Amino acid sequence: MNTPTVTTPRRVERLVAGQPTSDGAGVKLTRVLTQPLQRRLDPYLMLDAFGSDVPGDYIAGFPDHPHRGFETITHMIAGRLRHRDSAGHEGLLGDGGVQWMTAGRGVIHSEMPEQQAGVMEGFQLWLNLHSADKMQTPGYRDIPAAQIPEFNAPGVRVRVIAGSSHGVAGAVQRPRTEPLYLDIHLAPGARFEQALPATHNGFVYVYRGGLSVGETAVPEQRMAILGNDGGSDGVVLQAGEQPTRALLIAGAPLGEPIAQHGPFVMNTREQLMQAVEDFQAGRLA
Ligand code: MN
């Protein structure tokens, strides 16, 4: 059962509409979590939403590019994306699958659509690493849809990608940043509660339908930043009249300086210059 656990729910601090942009070799996407929100939503650095049935919007993909200092979580809703990296990893992400890559001290990788037509829809989230973890050995996991644990209740299906929900441990657990990443499917009018420490930063992104968080309606393609209300113990989502799907993402803030230069995210400018130098010298490959 969807046992009530939240007695003092969080309120919405702010609604955010993403910014249309393009990245990689010209993939059209919406940047939902942008750089000015990195401090507020620490430990998260970026959320991109992509979704199109026009091949020209996605076909060019993301050819070889480097990363250092954080983790990338790619979550496909529909479509096929082939991943290859300089550490020798390769995988094909399909409908509902997740790829969790820890760039650590550095990888060069490509993320290319493996389809010529049809819908490609999904998300890429960037999760920061603690200063002590930024130079760790790169890691990579493909998690097919069938291996993602679920919590189910009447009108509620929750795919627990990271963290845990109602006793269901997600596919990924991380110390320090303690990420929670839930893909929540709600029938019209369904309600879902999730426990959440008040100190964790969190947000909801609605990608189908619409829902309410307390008195705030969150329409499709909007991110609701959840207030860190003192004494709050979770969040309550109430679907509107449409079948609704949303991401609930939260984590423990690192509280460290954030220095970003494109695909490198470190703590200081000197570390960024080192990253660029290492990349140019071929030391990320
Ligand atoms: Mn990448």
Side-chain angles (χ1 to χ4, degrees), residues 23-284:
D23 208 339
V27 176
K28 286 189 184 169
L29 51 83
T30 302
R31 187 142 296 161
V32 179
L33 197 173
T34 54
Q35 217 166 346
L37 292 172
Q38 288 176 340
R39 175 64 48 196
R40 176 64 189 87
L41 293 175
D42 179 15
Y44 294 100
L45 298 164
M46 191 189 85
L47 176 68
D48 283 346
F50 51 91
S52 176
D53 58 1
V54 180
D57 288 348
Y58 61 74
I59 207 78
F62 302 87
D64 276 348
H65 59 278
H67 291 292
R68 171 179 280 180
F70 59 101
E71 305 190 83
T72 69
I73 299 121
T74 310
H75 175 198
M76 294 299 282
I77 302 300
R80 290 152 59 88
L81 197 66
R82 171 78 60 180
H83 165 269
R84 285 192 182 89
D85 73 32
S86 54
H89 304 124
E90 179 170 347
L92 179 65
L93 260 176
D95 295 358
V98 170
Q99 182 220 79
W100 195 293
M101 186 189 77
T102 306
R105 68 175 138 74
V107 293
I108 296 169
H109 75 164
S110 61
E111 303 157 286
M112 301 297 290
E114 198 158 283
Q115 61 189 62
Q116 303 297 319
V119 175
M120 195 173 92
E121 181 182 14
F123 303 97
Q124 189 170 84
L125 177 71
W126 288 12
L127 169 61
N128 208 355
L129 286 167
H130 188 273
S131 52
D133 299 328
K134 282 184 176 292
M135 294 299 278
Q136 70 180 267
T137 304
Y140 164 87
R141 251 186 88 192
D142 261 326
I143 309 160
Q147 288 176 21
I148 295 174
E150 289 193 0
F151 164 74
N152 287 280
V156 176
R157 176 181 178 221
V158 179
R159 310 184 68 242
V160 188
I161 295 167
S164 73
S165 181
H166 296 261
V168 177
V172 173
Q173 309 294 331
R174 284 280 182 276
R176 283 199 165 114
T177 50
E178 300 175 54
L180 175 75
Y181 187 134
L182 304 180
D183 179 16
I184 300 167
H185 303 195
L186 299 172
R191 174 187 166 94
F192 173 68
E193 306 193 355
Q194 174 65 35
L196 202 57
T199 52
H200 286 202
N201 292 326
F203 58 95
V204 176
Y205 181 73
V206 176
Y207 68 96
R208 293 275 195 292
L211 54 76
S212 295
V213 178
E215 291 174 358
T216 307
V218 188
E220 194 170 277
Q221 297 184 344
R222 289 292 183 281
M223 172 171 70
I225 297 178
L226 302 173
N228 294 71
D229 308 319
S232 68
D233 58 356
V235 60
V236 179
L237 309 180
Q238 175 84 50
E241 293 170 2
Q242 305 295 322
T244 293
R245 293 172 63 169
L247 308 180
L248 171 59
I249 296 171
L254 292 166
E256 296 186 324
I258 301 168
Q260 179 174 6
H261 177 72
F264 307 122
V265 183
M266 303 300 289
N267 301 111
T268 68
R269 183 178 154 74
E270 289 66 33
Q271 291 167 342
L272 285 181
M273 290 167 66
Q274 185 66 52
V276 172
E277 200 180 304
D278 286 350
F279 172 53
Q280 286 171 348
R283 287 192 288 263
L284 295 196

